[in-house]
Amino acid sequence: EVQLVESGGGLVQPGGSLRLSCAASGFTFSSYDMHWVRQATGKGLEWVSAIGTAGDTYYPGSVKGRFTISRENAKNSLYLQMNSLRAGDTAVYYCARVGYGSYEGAFDYWGQGTLVTVSS
Amino acid sequence: SYELTQPPSVSVSPGQTARITCSGDALPKQYAYWYQQKPGQAPVLVIYKDSERPSGIPERFSGSSSGTTVTLTISGVQAEDEADYYCQSADSSGTYEVFGGGTKLTVL
């Protein structure tokens, strides 16, 4: 069974840093592109970052230069290093797997999310 | 930056057909995907590559594409279908992902 379990969320002051983790199981982690998606309370989904199987990374302008996505295939883990955090980064952060073959391009599995609150 | 546009809300009575649209300039070039999200839960994929349905998703869910608009259709809506629905696609280069603003489906 595919499982994605996020951790590392919490309360952080503006300007602070936080590192999120996503533990993957039930599939060959190294073979899949992985993403982070966030959702502020009562708001829609927002794509945050992506990492390919070769380690290539992508970010939207809203987080580029502040967030860093990485992966450690030996530990079946995905990470998101978040620096210079702002109140607008407050959200539930989900890790999501991009499907393979027929499901290519689709976020076919999601974790349950971890809450990040940026406040003084 | 690239945007996908969805109506904020759609309301239907049980048994009727709900149609949720998503518009974006790159949709003729890029596939669209649809997700259902119920309160307090993670999103669930209901349609991939414009019109394909994942295993386990009821047949009443279908997708279509025409030009710059994709549509999620739910035929014979049931009370359990009440949820937020999001479309997702990529920009014309295929590099950056984007979600629509979401549509709240209310079953009257």
Side-chain angles (χ1 to χ4, degrees), chain B residues 20-50:
Chain B
I20 300 172
T21 59
C22 172
S23 299
D25 288 342
L27 288 176
K29 292 184 58 177
Q30 301 292 343
Y31 283 123
Y33 306 84
W34 289 95
Y35 303 88
Q36 176 194 69
Q37 187 181 35
K38 296 182 178 179
Q41 298 182 17
V44 172
L45 178 70
V46 295
I47 293 291
Y48 65 99
K49 291 185 177 177
D50 293 346

Short mmCIF file of all heavy atoms in Angstrom, two decimals, chain B residues 20-50:
data_model
loop_
_atom_site.label_atom_id
_atom_site.label_comp_id
_atom_site.label_asym_id
_atom_site.label_seq_id
_atom_site.Cartn_x
_atom_site.Cartn_y
_atom_site.Cartn_z
N ILE B 20 -18.55 21.16 -14.07
CA ILE B 20 -17.60 22.13 -13.53
C ILE B 20 -16.55 22.39 -14.59
O ILE B 20 -15.92 21.46 -15.09
CB ILE B 20 -16.94 21.60 -12.24
CG1 ILE B 20 -18.01 21.32 -11.17
CG2 ILE B 20 -15.91 22.59 -11.73
CD1 ILE B 20 -17.46 20.61 -9.93
N THR B 21 -16.39 23.64 -14.95
CA THR B 21 -15.46 24.01 -16.00
C THR B 21 -14.15 24.54 -15.45
O THR B 21 -14.07 25.01 -14.31
CB THR B 21 -16.07 25.05 -16.94
OG1 THR B 21 -16.40 26.22 -16.16
CG2 THR B 21 -17.31 24.51 -17.64
N CYS B 22 -13.13 24.48 -16.30
CA CYS B 22 -11.80 24.97 -15.95
C CYS B 22 -11.20 25.52 -17.24
O CYS B 22 -11.12 24.80 -18.24
CB CYS B 22 -10.97 23.83 -15.39
SG CYS B 22 -9.22 24.18 -15.11
N SER B 23 -10.81 26.78 -17.23
CA SER B 23 -10.31 27.42 -18.43
C SER B 23 -8.87 27.87 -18.27
O SER B 23 -8.49 28.41 -17.22
CB SER B 23 -11.18 28.64 -18.79
OG SER B 23 -12.50 28.26 -19.02
N GLY B 24 -8.09 27.68 -19.33
CA GLY B 24 -6.69 28.10 -19.30
C GLY B 24 -6.11 28.08 -20.70
O GLY B 24 -6.42 27.17 -21.49
N ASP B 25 -5.26 29.03 -20.99
CA ASP B 25 -4.75 29.17 -22.35
C ASP B 25 -3.92 27.98 -22.80
O ASP B 25 -3.84 27.70 -24.00
CB ASP B 25 -3.89 30.44 -22.45
CG ASP B 25 -4.72 31.72 -22.39
OD1 ASP B 25 -5.96 31.62 -22.62
OD2 ASP B 25 -4.16 32.79 -22.11
N ALA B 26 -3.28 27.28 -21.90
CA ALA B 26 -2.40 26.18 -22.27
C ALA B 26 -3.10 24.83 -22.31
O ALA B 26 -2.48 23.82 -22.65
CB ALA B 26 -1.20 26.11 -21.32
N LEU B 27 -4.38 24.82 -22.01
CA LEU B 27 -5.10 23.53 -21.95
C LEU B 27 -5.14 22.78 -23.29
O LEU B 27 -5.21 21.55 -23.29
CB LEU B 27 -6.50 23.72 -21.38
CG LEU B 27 -6.53 24.03 -19.88
CD1 LEU B 27 -7.94 24.31 -19.40
CD2 LEU B 27 -5.91 22.88 -19.08
N PRO B 28 -5.09 23.47 -24.43
CA PRO B 28 -5.00 22.69 -25.68
C PRO B 28 -3.70 21.90 -25.79
O PRO B 28 -3.62 20.94 -26.55
CB PRO B 28 -5.10 23.77 -26.76
CG PRO B 28 -5.83 24.89 -26.12
CD PRO B 28 -5.34 24.89 -24.69
N LYS B 29 -2.66 22.32 -25.06
CA LYS B 29 -1.36 21.67 -25.14
C LYS B 29 -1.06 20.74 -23.98
O LYS B 29 -0.23 19.83 -24.10
CB LYS B 29 -0.26 22.73 -25.17
CG LYS B 29 -0.18 23.58 -26.41
CD LYS B 29 1.01 24.53 -26.34
CE LYS B 29 2.33 23.82 -26.17
NZ LYS B 29 3.48 24.76 -26.17
N GLN B 30 -1.66 21.02 -22.84
CA GLN B 30 -1.35 20.27 -21.63
C GLN B 30 -2.58 19.52 -21.12
O GLN B 30 -3.70 20.04 -21.16
CB GLN B 30 -0.86 21.23 -20.52
CG GLN B 30 0.36 22.04 -20.89
CD GLN B 30 1.61 21.19 -21.01
OE1 GLN B 30 1.65 20.04 -20.54
NE2 GLN B 30 2.65 21.74 -21.64
N TYR B 31 -2.35 18.32 -20.60
CA TYR B 31 -3.45 17.57 -20.00
C TYR B 31 -3.95 18.27 -18.74
O TYR B 31 -3.22 19.00 -18.06
CB TYR B 31 -2.99 16.17 -19.62
CG TYR B 31 -2.88 15.21 -20.75
CD1 TYR B 31 -1.68 14.55 -21.03
CD2 TYR B 31 -3.97 14.91 -21.55
CE1 TYR B 31 -1.58 13.64 -22.07
CE2 TYR B 31 -3.88 13.99 -22.59
CZ TYR B 31 -2.69 13.38 -22.84
OH TYR B 31 -2.59 12.47 -23.87
N ALA B 32 -5.21 17.99 -18.43
CA ALA B 32 -5.80 18.47 -17.18
C ALA B 32 -6.14 17.29 -16.30
O ALA B 32 -6.40 16.18 -16.78
CB ALA B 32 -7.06 19.29 -17.47
N TYR B 33 -6.13 17.58 -15.00
CA TYR B 33 -6.42 16.56 -13.99
C TYR B 33 -7.43 17.17 -13.02
O TYR B 33 -7.43 18.38 -12.79
CB TYR B 33 -5.14 16.16 -13.25
CG TYR B 33 -4.04 15.72 -14.20
CD1 TYR B 33 -3.22 16.67 -14.81
CD2 TYR B 33 -3.85 14.39 -14.51
CE1 TYR B 33 -2.24 16.29 -15.72
CE2 TYR B 33 -2.88 13.99 -15.41
CZ TYR B 33 -2.08 14.95 -16.01
OH TYR B 33 -1.13 14.56 -16.92
N TRP B 34 -8.27 16.33 -12.44
CA TRP B 34 -9.28 16.79 -11.50
C TRP B 34 -9.15 16.05 -10.17
O TRP B 34 -8.93 14.84 -10.14
CB TRP B 34 -10.68 16.55 -12.07
CG TRP B 34 -11.06 17.43 -13.22
CD1 TRP B 34 -10.94 17.15 -14.55
CD2 TRP B 34 -11.63 18.73 -13.14
NE1 TRP B 34 -11.40 18.20 -15.31
CE2 TRP B 34 -11.84 19.18 -14.46
CE3 TRP B 34 -12.01 19.56 -12.09
CZ2 TRP B 34 -12.40 20.43 -14.76
CZ3 TRP B 34 -12.57 20.81 -12.38
CH2 TRP B 34 -12.76 21.23 -13.70
N TYR B 35 -9.33 16.81 -9.09
CA TYR B 35 -9.23 16.26 -7.76
C TYR B 35 -10.49 16.64 -6.96
O TYR B 35 -11.01 17.75 -7.10
CB TYR B 35 -7.99 16.80 -7.02
CG TYR B 35 -6.72 16.51 -7.77
CD1 TYR B 35 -6.26 17.39 -8.74
CD2 TYR B 35 -6.02 15.34 -7.56
CE1 TYR B 35 -5.11 17.11 -9.47
CE2 TYR B 35 -4.86 15.05 -8.28
CZ TYR B 35 -4.43 15.93 -9.24
OH TYR B 35 -3.29 15.65 -9.97
N GLN B 36 -10.91 15.70 -6.14
CA GLN B 36 -12.01 15.92 -5.20
C GLN B 36 -11.42 16.06 -3.80
O GLN B 36 -10.57 15.25 -3.41
CB GLN B 36 -12.98 14.73 -5.23
CG GLN B 36 -14.11 14.81 -4.24
CD GLN B 36 -14.81 13.46 -4.10
OE1 GLN B 36 -14.25 12.50 -3.58
NE2 GLN B 36 -16.05 13.38 -4.58
N GLN B 37 -11.86 17.05 -3.05
CA GLN B 37 -11.39 17.21 -1.69
C GLN B 37 -12.56 17.45 -0.76
O GLN B 37 -13.30 18.42 -0.92
CB GLN B 37 -10.39 18.37 -1.57
CG GLN B 37 -9.76 18.44 -0.19
CD GLN B 37 -8.79 19.60 -0.04
OE1 GLN B 37 -8.97 20.66 -0.60
NE2 GLN B 37 -7.72 19.39 0.75
N LYS B 38 -12.70 16.59 0.21
CA LYS B 38 -13.73 16.74 1.23
C LYS B 38 -13.11 17.38 2.47
O LYS B 38 -11.89 17.28 2.66
CB LYS B 38 -14.38 15.39 1.54
CG LYS B 38 -15.12 14.83 0.34
CD LYS B 38 -15.80 13.52 0.63
CE LYS B 38 -16.56 13.04 -0.61
NZ LYS B 38 -17.25 11.74 -0.39
N PRO B 39 -13.90 18.01 3.31
CA PRO B 39 -13.36 18.74 4.47
C PRO B 39 -12.45 17.87 5.34
O PRO B 39 -12.80 16.75 5.69
CB PRO B 39 -14.62 19.15 5.23
CG PRO B 39 -15.66 19.27 4.18
CD PRO B 39 -15.36 18.17 3.21
N GLY B 40 -11.28 18.42 5.64
CA GLY B 40 -10.34 17.74 6.52
C GLY B 40 -9.59 16.58 5.88
O GLY B 40 -8.85 15.87 6.58
N GLN B 41 -9.76 16.40 4.58
CA GLN B 41 -9.11 15.28 3.90
C GLN B 41 -8.17 15.79 2.80
O GLN B 41 -8.29 16.91 2.32
CB GLN B 41 -10.14 14.34 3.29
CG GLN B 41 -11.08 13.69 4.30
CD GLN B 41 -12.04 12.72 3.65
OE1 GLN B 41 -11.85 12.27 2.52
NE2 GLN B 41 -13.10 12.37 4.38
N ALA B 42 -7.24 14.92 2.42
CA ALA B 42 -6.36 15.23 1.30
C ALA B 42 -7.13 15.09 -0.01
O ALA B 42 -8.13 14.38 -0.09
CB ALA B 42 -5.16 14.28 1.31
N PRO B 43 -6.68 15.76 -1.05
CA PRO B 43 -7.33 15.62 -2.36
C PRO B 43 -7.22 14.19 -2.88
O PRO B 43 -6.28 13.46 -2.56
CB PRO B 43 -6.54 16.59 -3.25
CG PRO B 43 -5.94 17.58 -2.30
CD PRO B 43 -5.63 16.78 -1.06
N VAL B 44 -8.19 13.83 -3.71
CA VAL B 44 -8.21 12.52 -4.36
C VAL B 44 -8.37 12.73 -5.86
O VAL B 44 -9.24 13.49 -6.30
CB VAL B 44 -9.40 11.67 -3.83
CG1 VAL B 44 -9.54 10.38 -4.64
CG2 VAL B 44 -9.21 11.36 -2.35
N LEU B 45 -7.55 12.05 -6.64
CA LEU B 45 -7.61 12.15 -8.10
C LEU B 45 -8.88 11.48 -8.61
O LEU B 45 -9.14 10.31 -8.30
CB LEU B 45 -6.38 11.45 -8.70
CG LEU B 45 -6.27 11.38 -10.22
CD1 LEU B 45 -5.99 12.77 -10.80
CD2 LEU B 45 -5.14 10.40 -10.62
N VAL B 46 -9.67 12.20 -9.41
CA VAL B 46 -10.89 11.61 -9.97
C VAL B 46 -10.87 11.51 -11.49
O VAL B 46 -11.60 10.71 -12.07
CB VAL B 46 -12.17 12.36 -9.50
CG1 VAL B 46 -12.36 12.20 -7.98
CG2 VAL B 46 -12.14 13.82 -9.88
N ILE B 47 -10.08 12.36 -12.14
CA ILE B 47 -9.92 12.32 -13.61
C ILE B 47 -8.47 12.67 -13.93
O ILE B 47 -7.92 13.61 -13.36
CB ILE B 47 -10.85 13.31 -14.32
CG1 ILE B 47 -12.32 12.91 -14.17
CG2 ILE B 47 -10.48 13.43 -15.82
CD1 ILE B 47 -12.72 11.63 -14.92
N TYR B 48 -7.86 11.90 -14.84
CA TYR B 48 -6.51 12.23 -15.30
C TYR B 48 -6.49 12.29 -16.82
O TYR B 48 -7.33 11.69 -17.49
CB TYR B 48 -5.48 11.26 -14.75
CG TYR B 48 -5.62 9.83 -15.24
CD1 TYR B 48 -4.82 9.35 -16.27
CD2 TYR B 48 -6.53 8.95 -14.66
CE1 TYR B 48 -4.92 8.05 -16.71
CE2 TYR B 48 -6.65 7.65 -15.10
CZ TYR B 48 -5.84 7.19 -16.12
OH TYR B 48 -5.96 5.90 -16.57
N LYS B 49 -5.51 13.00 -17.35
CA LYS B 49 -5.36 13.18 -18.80
C LYS B 49 -6.69 13.53 -19.46
O LYS B 49 -7.15 12.87 -20.39
CB LYS B 49 -4.75 11.92 -19.42
CG LYS B 49 -3.29 11.71 -19.02
CD LYS B 49 -2.67 10.52 -19.74
CE LYS B 49 -1.21 10.40 -19.36
NZ LYS B 49 -0.56 9.21 -19.99
N ASP B 50 -7.30 14.56 -18.95
CA ASP B 50 -8.54 15.18 -19.46
C ASP B 50 -9.79 14.33 -19.22
O ASP B 50 -10.84 14.86 -18.83
CB ASP B 50 -8.47 15.46 -20.97
CG ASP B 50 -7.47 16.53 -21.34
OD1 ASP B 50 -7.01 17.27 -20.44
OD2 ASP B 50 -7.14 16.64 -22.53
#
